Amino acid sequence: MRKHDSKVSIIPGTILALLVLILPILGIGGCTGSTTEPTGTTSPPPTTTDGTLLPTVAGVDATLLYASKCASCHGTNRQGGVAPALTDVSNFSASFLSSFFSVHFTGVGMGEPLRNSLANYLKTNSVAPPPQTGPIDPAAVYAANCSLCHGAFRQGGLAGPNITPNQITNFTTEARLSTFISAHQSGQNLDKERRDLVAKWLKETP
């Protein structure tokens, strides 16, 4: 009887030893086991711009870049020449300017970091004109908002077509043209009075 009892008592002991070895492997129980699932968190990407300017590369002198690429047409001080003045580009975003440079005369073939540097330079050195107190001059509104793409004399450019009167006859009324301007590039920033005046000026001025 004693020999039989010793064999029976060995079995539970063996089972207990096996459980001690197996349970940690299965991850069941244990003091070091976690009962909650880990929560993953993703850090936001580092901010490289202030929201209005574009990322560039170090070592680019935008002043020299402007002098070599733009000054011959737009003037040494951006005051304008055979091309419109660039003293006020507040109506254009930096991203639009950078994209525009890629198809604009000396900007064609310019790499994105250089285009971005030039766009940032124009944006950070933009000087808005004083508020107009007298009658609104539609020619001045056009110059500030449209000439960059359509040319100083509405003759067209690489980023905008010719919009002299005989080229916009498909806009049969000034109202239709004004409505089009309201959804077109920087025309979105114009109030209805200015859009209407520009539309009338475009239709009537040769």
Side-chain angles (χ1 to χ4, degrees):
M1 286 294 293
R2 288 181 181 177
K3 188 175 181 180
H4 177 73
D5 290 343
S6 63
K7 289 182 179 180
V8 172
S9 63
I10 290 173
I11 294 174
T14 303
I15 294 174
L16 180 60
L18 289 173
L19 289 175
V20 170
L21 292 173
I22 294 173
L23 289 180
I25 296 173
L26 296 177
I28 302 175
C31 297
T32 59
S34 174
T35 58
T36 58
E37 294 184 5
T39 56
T41 58
T42 303
S43 301
T47 300
T48 56
T49 68
D50 64 1
T52 58
L53 301 181
L54 301 172
T56 60
V57 294
V60 177
D61 188 333
T63 304
L64 292 178
L65 188 61
Y66 174 86
S68 65
K69 295 288 186 178
C70 317
S72 60
C73 292
H74 294 279
T76 305
N77 299 313
R78 296 171 288 122
Q79 76 279 6
V82 294
L86 296 177
T87 50
D88 175 25
V89 293
S90 57
N91 288 330
F92 303 98
S93 67
S95 58
F96 171 80
L97 289 173
S98 181
S99 298
F100 174 77
F101 297 151
S102 67
V103 296
H104 183 67
F105 297 107
T106 57
V108 175
M110 189 188 301
E112 185 178 13
L114 296 181
R115 297 199 315 267
N116 288 354
S117 295
L118 187 56
N120 290 348
Y121 167 75
L122 292 177
K123 288 295 290 182
T124 53
N125 291 277
S126 180
V127 180
Q132 187 172 355
T133 56
I136 297 172
D137 181 1
V141 176
Y142 171 87
N145 295 276
C146 317
S147 62
L148 189 64
C149 293
H150 295 284
F153 304 103
R154 294 172 289 153
Q155 77 280 6
L158 291 178
N162 183 318
I163 53 173
T164 49
N166 62 338
Q167 298 295 321
I168 55 174
T169 54
N170 54 318
F171 295 100
T172 54
T173 65
E174 294 167 9
R176 287 189 62 189
L177 183 54
S178 178
T179 300
F180 174 80
I181 292 171
S182 70
H184 181 67
Q185 300 292 355
S186 60
Q188 300 175 51
N189 301 322
L190 300 177
D191 57 33
K192 187 177 186 303
E193 181 182 11
R194 284 172 171 75
R195 293 198 309 267
D196 290 348
L197 286 171
V198 169
K200 180 178 176 64
W201 180 77
L202 289 173
K203 292 285 289 181
E204 297 181 352
T205 306

